[in-house]
Amino acid sequence: LSPGRLYPAGKMVIPYPIPKLSSCCQISLTLMIVFSLIFYPCLPLLLKQYGATEETARMVTTLVFSSIPALLLFWPFSYTLPNALRAANDTVFPSVMSMSVLWLVSICIGYLLAIPAGMGLWGVWTATWSAWAIRALGFGLRFKTRKWGRNA
């Protein structure tokens, strides 16, 4: 069910393969939920392995717990959909979108939130969550409008 199998040999076999792509997104989401449920309870043990201070452990635990909603809502779509688009020979849009969001949101806005706005690590993570949401929205719109089909 990998996105690369949606369009074998460069041929658009299925005109609008939402069931297969939905399966990829659902599998990705399910794995995220399973690993979140496993990882979060094990977090104190993992932090002890690294000798983290109590303040650091508290901050990491809060950040991980705060990341779970964005991770479940946006991450599967912001990283599964561009792979499906690339598999359909729509390579320019996902690459430009990914690099633009990386530089404009993750790096620039992350810096502005972290240092000038004084949010620190929370600013960096807020920018990261925003980047995931923007990527998911952009790739979702690209897929929904079927503009990617012109290159398949």
Side-chain angles (χ1 to χ4, degrees), residues 104-131:
L104 295 174
V105 179
S106 297
I107 295 175
C108 294
I109 293 179
Y111 172 79
L112 292 173
L113 290 175
I115 298 178
M119 291 177 66
L121 189 57
W122 282 101
V124 173
W125 277 95
T126 301
T128 300
W129 299 327
S130 300

Side-chain angles (χ1 to χ4, degrees), residues 12-64:
M12 189 164 23
V13 177
I14 303 169
Y16 200 55
I18 289 184
K20 285 188 179 184
L21 183 61
S22 294
S23 297
C24 291
C25 289
Q26 287 172 355
I27 289 169
S28 178
L29 180 61
T30 303
L31 289 173
M32 287 290 182
I33 291 170
V34 168
F35 285 119
S36 294
L37 290 173
I38 292 169
F39 181 75
Y40 190 70
C42 298
L43 192 57
L45 295 171
L46 292 170
L47 290 172
K48 284 181 185 177
Q49 295 295 317
Y50 290 99
T53 64
E54 191 173 316
E55 180 184 358
T56 303
R58 232 184 354 262
M59 181 180 276
V60 168
T61 303
T62 304
L63 279 172
V64 167

Side-chain angles (χ1 to χ4, degrees), residues 67-148:
S67 294
I68 290 173
L71 190 68
L72 297 178
L73 289 173
F74 306 123
W75 195 93
F77 304 103
S78 66
Y79 288 92
T80 304
L81 284 176
N83 290 333
L85 293 172
R86 287 183 187 104
N89 203 26
D90 185 12
T91 57
V92 175
F93 180 82
S95 298
V96 170
M97 173 94 176
S98 295
M99 289 302 292
S100 299
V101 170
L102 171 73
W103 280 100
L104 295 174
V105 179
S106 297
I107 295 175
C108 294
I109 293 179
Y111 172 79
L112 292 173
L113 290 175
I115 298 178
M119 291 177 66
L121 189 57
W122 282 101
V124 173
W125 277 95
T126 301
T128 300
W129 299 327
S130 300
W132 292 348
I134 292 167
R135 283 172 52 101
L137 179 65
F139 294 132
L141 289 174
R142 178 72 170 191
F143 192 78
K144 187 175 181 177
T145 61
R146 299 186 69 185
K147 288 184 180 177
W148 53 272

